[in-house]
Amino acid sequence: MPGGLHLRREGVGPETFGKVFDPLGISSSVSDEAVMWFRHSELKHGRVAMAATVGCLVSKLGITFPGDLANGVPFASVGAGGPFAAWDAVPTAGKLQLFLFIGALEWASETKKPHYMRGGVPGKIDPYLFEGIPGLWAPKIRFWDPLNTMGALTEEQKATKRKSELKNGRLAMIAIISFISAHYIPGSVPLLPAGF
């Protein structure tokens, strides 16, 4: 790979025998930009999987938010059928709001300069995700790390936290796909009960 980019990637550890886990050699056959896209995708999907895994476990425990999700639709009723039936219980307007929010996050991520495929940092979330429209509206809404906990860390501590996030995301991707498999294919995951 040009520039040895694959050698500088975080996430190398004892579980990968001190090497970048790439048994098919994909990283050596694509450009640095493609490797950055892979890393950004891995971080993004890992974050979603961590949220989904926690949501699935919390739902299985019967824990819900208090109050209503929408008029006449309490949160408890949404989770009553379990995590896999919850999506069907969300009103259409709620589903549209979720898609719009996810789209806004994607837009903010992909329009950030410099782009992660052009010298930016893959997976980096700026504290100010949206800085407004210059000269018209500048809210400076601190979306990420509102208490600035990352600002108090050394670069070494930040690198350790990034590595932990990457590894926890990988584990969460395995966990959520295991939950889904166990739910839809009983017995496919021996450690999970049938119909999980």
Side-chain angles (χ1 to χ4, degrees), residues 98-159:
L98 285 170
F99 285 128
L100 286 172
F101 180 70
I102 292 167
L105 289 176
E106 282 293 312
W107 177 80
S109 169
E110 293 298 322
T111 58
K112 186 171 47 176
K113 304 290 183 206
H115 192 267
Y116 57 86
M117 289 177 65
R118 303 282 185 255
V121 179
K124 182 179 179 188
I125 300 175
D126 291 328
Y128 298 107
L129 195 60
F130 178 67
E131 295 190 11
I133 302 164
L136 182 63
W137 181 55
K140 290 285 188 183
I141 298 168
R142 194 172 180 88
F143 178 75
W144 178 248
D145 193 18
L147 301 177
N148 196 27
T149 56
M150 291 296 283
L153 301 176
T154 65
E155 288 304 315
E156 184 178 315
Q157 290 170 321
K158 288 178 185 178

